[in-house]
Amino acid sequence: QYSLIKDVVSSLKRHRMHEQQFTHHPLLVLSNFGLQQIQVKLMASMFQNMFPSINVHRVNLNSIKRCLLISYDTETQLLDFRHYSVKVVPVGMSKGLKKLLQEKFPNMSRLEDISELL
């Protein structure tokens, strides 16, 4: 079973498809591939070698735009693929400061001083 990209995009309220998502390889997450069966090890190795490895200690979080989750069901022996878009946003600060950090300039006409924004 599969879904076409045009069907997925048309079902979303706000889709986030842009070319920059595909300039870097995705973060690969393998679930339930720790079994000792040779075919499961072979599948895990194949998926790991499809994409370059990521050093989690040195990676720039802004460069990760996608996450690919592959889950193996041992009972049905089926694979589930999930492809996610990842967006890094600042948290724990005022709405005005978030907009400045995301290079969106807020409407400051009703403010008397910049300190009101921050």
Side-chain angles (χ1 to χ4, degrees):
Q1 298 175 359
Y2 63 93
S3 299
L4 297 175
I5 188 67
K6 65 179 183 176
D7 297 329
V8 173
V9 169
S10 66
S11 69
L12 298 174
K13 291 180 182 177
R14 285 183 278 152
H15 65 279
R16 294 187 57 241
M17 292 289 294
H18 51 85
E19 294 176 9
Q20 292 178 351
Q21 284 181 316
F22 302 101
T23 56
H24 298 286
H25 49 276
L27 177 65
L28 179 64
V29 178
L30 299 176
S31 177
N32 296 330
F33 281 89
L35 303 173
Q36 296 301 319
Q37 299 168 345
I38 189 69
Q39 67 270 20
V40 176
K41 286 183 178 180
L42 182 62
M43 282 191 298
S45 176
M46 179 190 69
F47 290 128
Q48 287 172 345
N49 291 318
M50 284 176 68
F51 304 101
S53 62
I54 296 175
N55 185 344
V56 294
H57 300 291
R58 291 191 197 175
V59 69
N60 181 5
L61 289 179
N62 291 327
S63 68
I64 297 177
K65 303 290 184 192
R66 299 179 293 140
C67 179
L68 178 62
L69 171 65
I70 303 173
S71 180
Y72 178 68
D73 189 356
T74 55
E75 293 177 8
T76 61
Q77 295 184 346
L78 293 176
L79 292 171
D80 290 328
F81 289 84
R82 301 284 177 166
H83 188 231
Y84 297 99
S85 174
V86 177
K87 182 179 178 182
V88 179
V89 294
V91 294
M93 56 187 66
S94 69
K95 188 176 181 180
L97 190 56
K98 281 183 191 178
K99 285 186 177 183
L100 283 176
L101 289 175
Q102 293 174 348
E103 297 178 358
K104 297 178 185 175
F105 298 103
N107 183 6
M108 295 186 286
S109 62
R110 65 182 181 277
L111 304 177
E112 293 183 20
D113 193 299
I114 190 69
S115 63
E116 294 177 22
L117 177 69
L118 302 178

